[in-house]
Amino acid sequence: MGDLSVNSSIFSSRNGSDPPSVPPSMSIDKLLPALLECFGIILCGYVAGRTNIIPATHAKGLGSFVSKFALPALLFKNMVLLDFADVIWPFFFSILVAKVTVFFFVCVLTLLVADRESRFSKAGLFSIFATQSNDFALGFPIVEALYRNTHPEYLQYIYLVAPVSLMVLNPLGFAFCEVQRRRTGEPQQQSKLQVLGLVLLQVVKNPIVFMVVIGVISHFLLGQKIPAFMEEFVDGLANSFGGAALFYLGLTMVGQLKKLTRSTVVALILLITAKLLVMPLICRGMVEVLDCGSRSSMNHTSLSNYAFLYGVFPTAPSVAIYASHYNMELEVVTSGMVIGTFLSAPIMYVSAWLLTIPWMDSDPLASALQHVSFNISIISLFALVWSVAVMLLSRKFHRIPHIFTINLFVAQLLACVGMIAWNFMAEQDNFLGQVLTFTLLYGSLYSTYIWPGESFEFVFEKSLNITCSETSDSTPLNTTCQQCTSTSCLLVEEEQKVADRQNTDIQSTRHVLVCLLLTVSLLANLSSCLWWLFNKDPGRLYLELQFFCVVANFGQGLISFAFFGLDKHLIISPFKKRLVSLWQGWGQEVTGSAASEEIRLTCTQFLTYHKEQCVRDIAHKKRCGQSSTTEAFLGSDMVRWLQSVGLASDSGEALAYGWRLLEGGVIQHITLEHGFQDEALHYPTSHIPDGKGVTGNPAHLS
């Protein structure tokens, strides 16, 4: 971990020579605006889906337009205009070999370690996940920002490389999924020849593949020019792709992380590592090997850097569609798509910035590394102070495994303090002060990799034998529910047990994730030491690894804050209740009688036409006390029922419908502590009014 005693020698070869001063081949100053543009549009789509401005059913229509009209038109246009004379074919084949290598590596590894019941579906979908990049919606704007002014010919490789996954690798993954269908005994058993024909038919029917083939044929028939009568039409469809695709990507992210469970965490981390770390390294390595006869060393270096950045592009959202189609591994694929997309942004920016650094002098590099360490330590320090305060105020610190977690927080905090102190102490002629600061810094830093081991050991043992009685906030319940005469409602206790079980699973998942991420950081530091020890000339990748180690070592507080800094009961729930209260008050002021009329119509419709059927279908008698019962239904059952009878097209509309019933006084939670939610919460039927009107006294959250 030689990133603290910063000196210029680590950035030059051991014979003392510095890299040559050559101008960079990419416009790094335009990358940040491009990233902000892309992820800003993605965020707009996410907000639109999260607030149900655009329901999931409408999002499917936008997705169909993007994938079946806009993208095929874009591919057709660029395949016709493509100049094959400028293509450096060794680069193309390097990316092809890299994708095939990663595909088969993931496939074989999955077949070896996955359980026999689902190993073929996992092998197929995981291999597609690791190789199919979001080339057009997210990758193209990034490449355009970086290379438009320096290497505009690089843009056409996007259209050449992308069909490789669609026409060569994806069919292999689909074949594995079809094999899994046959092994699980699904109806309509088919022969191997029929399975092969079905897979090939799916490839041919894909509009993207079809238009690529048509575009290549038209390229030679039309003389590399689109006819004037159809040029405006093709341009109109092609130009609509960029914003619509990014907006749709944001829509598809809504609710995906809820599907993440403890059992899928390890597979998810390995897949993201394969896609965002292994793929770019192999892409760059293949270019270094296969493009050795490039026209110039400068162009060769530029191509290898471009290959590395291409490999960082996140997984395309279409992979989630494949998982949904086969109804296999949906939790891993959808969660991985969301996490990988947002992780790719800082990786792309930092990688592009670092790839321009080798042409700088060694002294500024040493200073840059020191400044990065100092700045990330300050940010991490604030995050850790917040996380420790949350842990203390929530009173979790005295329970296992949180007792290990708060020790980890303290060690991380001291490491940040040590780095900040070293930034000032290194310039002073104070040997004792430097020794003490160095001891504090390294002692704290190394301890951050010891405490997660204790936490992980406990979480692993507990995951083998989880009991519902052991809970991160349970307190004795002594409440009288609306329809119960007992002083301790059994239905409320049942809700608490379900919530505690979910909370236990979430806490275990968080601890496992933190341990695995810190393990990756530890391995990176070990690799850095071994790299410097055994390589006479470490090279540029060592420089990138050094910056990664700095961010990983002193940015641990950001990881801790992300997983433990926003306590549900202490921060999120009170903030959410306050926000809902303000939103309802503002909505009533703005919409006035219109909102009240919508609530009245919804409640009247439900009471007149659907109440009796709803009670028959989903309400059940349950014991709520030692000698008392009540008839109630679950909020999750109500959401599914509203969709099944056509009152809502998706879960978002069902939640909105249920909230209108709640505000109209038709339904209410058994203790009035919750609104209408798609969870295992009880809503008694005895509160539903008889007759065809509304009570006129909307139920409000306490």
Side-chain angles (χ1 to χ4, degrees):
M1 303 182 191
D3 45 54
L4 303 178
S5 52
V6 183
N7 56 71
S8 60
S9 64
I10 67 172
F11 299 112
S12 59
S13 60
R14 297 201 178 172
N15 57 15
S17 61
D18 286 332
S21 178
V22 182
S25 61
M26 61 180 74
S27 304
I28 189 65
D29 57 321
K30 296 183 179 180
L31 178 59
L32 183 59
L35 287 173
L36 293 177
E37 175 191 354
C38 293
F39 284 88
I41 298 175
I42 292 174
L43 181 61
C44 289
Y46 178 82
V47 171
R50 189 67 178 176
T51 58
N52 210 38
I53 295 176
I54 299 182
T57 51
H58 299 171
K60 293 179 181 178
L62 179 60
S64 298
F65 167 76
V66 168
S67 61
K68 296 181 180 179
F69 292 93
L71 181 54
L74 180 67
L75 286 169
F76 173 79
K77 171 186 173 181
N78 284 275
M79 294 309 293
V80 172
L81 301 178
L82 186 66
D83 187 2
F84 287 101
D86 289 338
V87 175
I88 302 176
W89 292 107
F91 174 81
F92 170 77
F93 288 115
S94 298
I95 302 299
L96 174 61
V97 172
K99 285 201 169 194
V100 172
T101 301
V102 174
F103 185 94
F104 281 101
F105 175 77
V106 173
C107 182
V108 172
L109 184 62
T110 304
L111 289 174
L112 290 176
V113 302
D115 56 283
R116 297 180 60 87
E117 290 76 13
S118 60
R119 62 178 179 177
F120 288 101
S121 63
K122 289 180 178 178
L125 289 172
F126 289 176
S127 300
I128 295 175
F129 181 96
T131 53
Q132 184 170 346
S133 302
N134 194 353
D135 296 329
F136 301 107
L138 193 57
F140 186 84
I142 303 302
V143 175
E144 185 177 33
L146 287 172
Y147 294 104
R148 168 66 73 181
N149 297 329
T150 56
H151 291 282
E153 70 276 9
Y154 285 4
L155 297 174
Q156 63 186 353
Y157 289 106
I158 295 289
Y159 303 101
L160 281 175
V161 173
V164 170
S165 293
L166 297 173
M167 294 189 289
V168 179
L169 299 179
N170 284 14
L172 296 176
F174 297 152
F176 277 105
C177 293
E178 293 294 340
V179 170
Q180 185 66 52
R181 275 185 171 179
R182 290 163 54 87
R183 291 175 63 90
T184 53
E186 293 190 9
Q188 300 180 352
Q189 294 291 332
Q190 299 169 323
S191 65
K192 296 180 179 179
L193 186 61
Q194 288 175 319
V195 171
L196 179 61
L198 179 63
V199 172
L200 293 177
L201 180 62
Q202 288 179 345
V203 175
V204 174
K205 287 172 59 179
N206 190 321
I208 298 174
V209 175
F210 180 77
M211 291 308 296
V212 167
V213 176
I214 297 298
V216 172
I217 296 174
S218 302
H219 171 87
F220 297 101
L221 294 179
L222 301 177
Q224 208 173 339
K225 184 178 180 181
I226 299 176
F229 72 91
M230 62 182 300
E231 185 175 8
E232 296 295 330
F233 168 72
V234 173
D235 284 344
L237 280 177
N239 294 337
S240 67
F241 172 77
L246 292 171
F247 193 87
Y248 172 69
L249 178 58
L251 286 173
T252 59
M253 292 181 174
V254 177
Q256 301 298 351
L257 290 181
K258 292 182 179 178
K259 301 174 182 177
L260 184 62
T261 61
R262 183 177 60 245
S263 60
T264 62
V265 167
V266 177
L268 181 61
I269 291 179
L270 293 177
L271 279 178
I272 293 177
T273 301
K275 183 66 192 74
L276 298 183
L277 294 179
V278 177
M279 173 66 87
L281 291 174
I282 294 182
C283 286
R284 181 168 181 164
M286 286 295 133
V287 172
E288 294 284 348
V289 172
L290 298 181
D291 190 42
C292 55
S294 183
R295 300 167 216 176
S296 69
S297 60
M298 179 179 173
N299 191 49
H300 175 75
T301 301
S302 176
L303 283 174
S304 63
N305 292 342
Y306 177 37
F308 183 88
L309 290 174
Y310 175 83
V312 180
F313 294 163
T315 302
S318 56
V319 182
I321 299 177
Y322 304 150
S324 178
H325 173 73
Y326 288 103
N327 195 25
M328 300 172 181
E329 314 306 328
L330 194 59
E331 298 82 3
V332 178
V333 170
T334 53
S335 302
M337 180 198 71
V338 176
I339 297 174
T341 298
F342 284 99
L343 282 179
S344 67
I347 294 177
M348 281 189 287
Y349 181 78
V350 173
S351 298
W353 177 66
L354 290 176
L355 288 174
T356 64
I357 282 182
W359 290 274
M360 297 170 55
D361 294 331
S362 57
D363 289 337
L365 292 181
S367 177
L369 190 63
Q370 184 75 19
H371 284 304
V372 170
S373 305
F374 179 71
N375 293 334
I376 196 70
S377 296
I378 292 178
I379 298 174
S380 187
L381 180 64
F382 283 104
L384 285 166
V385 170
W386 175 279
S387 301
V388 171
V390 168
M391 188 70 72
L392 294 176
L393 292 175
S394 62
R395 299 181 180 178
K396 295 179 179 178
F397 61 92
H398 63 278
R399 297 198 299 269
I400 296 177
H402 294 289
I403 190 171
F404 302 118
T405 307
I406 195 168
N407 280 282
L408 173 63
F409 290 172
V410 172
Q412 293 171 342
L413 190 148
L414 292 176
C416 293
V417 171
M419 184 64 239
I420 295 172
W422 178 262
N423 186 69
F424 300 101
M425 190 62 63
E427 303 297 330
Q428 299 180 8
D429 187 15
N430 186 343
F431 178 75
L432 180 60
Q434 290 180 348
V435 170
L436 293 177
T437 305
F438 189 85
T439 303
L440 170 66
L441 177 54
Y442 267 110
S444 303
L445 186 60
Y446 282 124
S447 66
T448 61
Y449 295 111
I450 297 176
W451 284 113
E454 300 292 335
S455 178
F456 183 80
E457 181 182 1
F458 173 82
V459 171
F460 180 75
E461 290 178 356
K462 188 174 181 180
S463 65
L464 299 178
N465 187 22
I466 295 178
T467 59
C468 297
S469 59
E470 182 179 4
T471 61
S472 305
D473 305 313
S474 60
T475 55
L477 291 168
N478 186 17
T479 178
T480 303
C481 55
Q482 200 72 8
Q483 279 72 37
C484 295
T485 58
S486 61
T487 57
S488 182
C489 179
L490 297 180
L491 296 182
V492 178
E493 291 181 357
E494 180 183 334
E495 291 181 357
Q496 186 67 40
K497 288 181 179 179
V498 172
D500 290 339
R501 191 182 306 116
Q502 294 174 346
N503 188 48
T504 300
D505 188 70
I506 291 173
Q507 293 297 333
S508 299
T509 301
R510 288 175 178 176
H511 282 85
V512 171
L513 274 172
V514 169
C515 293
L516 290 175
L517 289 175
L518 292 182
T519 301
V520 172
S521 175
L522 179 61
L523 292 175
N525 280 278
L526 179 61
S527 301
S528 174
C529 296
L530 295 176
W531 196 323
W532 176 250
L533 184 62
F534 294 107
N535 285 273
K536 183 177 181 180
D537 187 2
R540 299 171 193 152
L541 285 179
Y542 176 75
L543 176 62
E544 297 181 34
L545 185 60
Q546 280 288 304
F547 274 89
F548 175 80
C549 290
V550 164
V551 175
N553 287 336
F554 304 109
Q556 294 183 35
L558 301 179
I559 298 177
S560 300
F561 175 80
F563 286 106
F564 300 102
L566 299 176
D567 185 81
K568 179 179 180 181
H569 301 286
L570 191 65
I571 298 175
I572 295 180
S573 294
F575 177 77
K576 186 176 180 180
K577 287 185 178 181
R578 180 61 178 167
L579 188 62
V580 168
S581 177
L582 292 175
W583 178 265
Q584 290 177 342
W586 178 81
Q588 290 176 357
E589 292 178 2
V590 174
T591 58
S593 59
S596 301
E597 181 65 14
E598 183 182 14
I599 293 173
R600 189 188 68 81
L601 290 175
T602 299
C603 295
T604 301
Q605 177 201 45
F606 179 80
L607 292 172
T608 304
Y609 302 107
H610 305 291
K611 171 195 168 184
E612 294 182 359
Q613 183 66 38
C614 177
V615 171
R616 283 198 302 268
D617 290 345
I618 65 174
H620 304 282
K621 274 196 173 183
K622 297 186 176 182
R623 189 163 64 93
C624 56
Q626 295 299 327
S627 59
S628 58
T629 61
T630 187
E631 191 175 47
F633 60 87
L634 298 178
S636 55
D637 292 340
M638 182 70 162
V639 168
R640 288 193 292 269
W641 183 85
L642 289 171
Q643 296 178 74
S644 66
V645 298
L647 291 176
S649 58
D650 54 51
S651 59
E653 290 187 6
L655 283 171
Y657 193 100
W659 269 100
R660 290 196 292 273
L661 295 179
L662 183 84
E663 293 175 354
V666 174
I667 63 174
Q668 68 178 32
H669 182 249
I670 198 167
T671 61
L672 301 178
E673 292 182 357
H674 300 280
F676 182 74
Q677 300 179 26
D678 185 11
E679 297 179 8
L681 300 176
H682 293 89
Y683 300 84
T685 60
S686 56
H687 180 76
I688 300 179
D690 293 326
K692 301 180 180 180
V694 186
T695 61
N697 297 315
H700 294 285
L701 292 177
S702 57

